Amino acid sequence: MKSSTIAVVAIASCFVPFHSRLAQAPPSWHRHVIDASSRGADGVRTADVNGDGFADLVAGWEQGGITRVYLGSRDALGKPAWTAITVGKSPDVEDAVLFDADGDGAMDVISSTEGNHRRILVHWAPPAQRYTRESDWTTETLYADGTQWMFATPIDMDHRRGLDLVVGGKNRRAAVGWLEAPVHPRNVSEWTFHRISEAGWIMSLRVIDMNRDGLPDILLTDRRGDLAGARWLEHPGRSSPRLHGSWTNHWIGARGREANADRRGRLGWRRPPGDRGAALPRQRFPSKHLPK
């Protein structure tokens, strides 16, 4: 990806009944550019950073080697306005997520980097009154073991020291695991990695209670290797010794196929037992690979 843009799209006539739109021309999508000043915007995650009710954004610019937060607001005419904050350098960044890593009330940022950089970075946020002051942000390596990291998402894994992190990588050494928060989260060397599943090339991670047992399971898609497809990892219980080891894997669909959200194709909805469903690209997946 040599150049890209962070943009918002809105669909016109969204309140027109579906049946009446079938005979009409496709509705127009309007592109609103937020930022086009760097290269390789590789996905956007959202959160309300400052509690003002507006969605804020974070994005890693892979070829630009930076991570930015975008604070959303409204201008005098009521139109969306954005304040961009470069929170730190992040070479080969693949994913970024807003996450109060130290529990001080200010939303920090986690950047997952691949390429030759291969780190989980934490960008420590200054207090709210200085949040937009880029020089007050600091960046440290939270974890590095040579893995190319693709995705991270917050999770309260053990109800011990606040939020932890689920992370996933690709290629050599690839795994899904979780980073256990220490007593003092700013002591980055004390975050502990627990490997819970092998992986090939993680495309997405979501924390969802898949079996309704009150515990946070991990829903994921993997595009390469023996575990390619869509599957979920079952939380073994907060007091279980397996919490820090391998979790039970459950297949959802596309087993052995390339689960790549970048490819074109129809989406199929499958609802497994427990009333949880998943949308999967179906253009390369025979129905025998999808649960009934």
Side-chain angles (χ1 to χ4, degrees), residues 260-268 280-284:
N260 183 357
D262 296 332
R263 294 184 179 272
R264 295 181 179 179
R266 295 176 295 119
L267 289 179
L280 303 174
R282 295 180 58 194
Q283 74 286 359
R284 296 182 58 191

Side-chain angles (χ1 to χ4, degrees), residues 45 95 112 120 149-153 166-168 202-205:
R45 310 280 285 276
D95 173 70
S112 301
I120 303 290
W149 294 106
M150 295 291 287
F151 213 90
T153 195
V166 174
V167 295
I202 294 299
M203 295 299 295
S204 63
L205 292 171

Side-chain angles (χ1 to χ4, degrees), residues 67 84-89 123-127 129-139 186:
T67 297
I85 309 162
T86 300
V87 302
K89 294 182 178 180
H123 309 281
W124 298 111
Q129 63 271 22
R130 302 199 310 273
Y131 198 84
T132 60
R133 190 181 300 173
E134 295 178 351
S135 60
D136 285 357
W137 286 76
T138 57
T139 299
R186 287 265 184 166

Side-chain angles (χ1 to χ4, degrees), residues 31 73 186:
R31 181 172 181 261
S73 62
R186 287 265 184 166

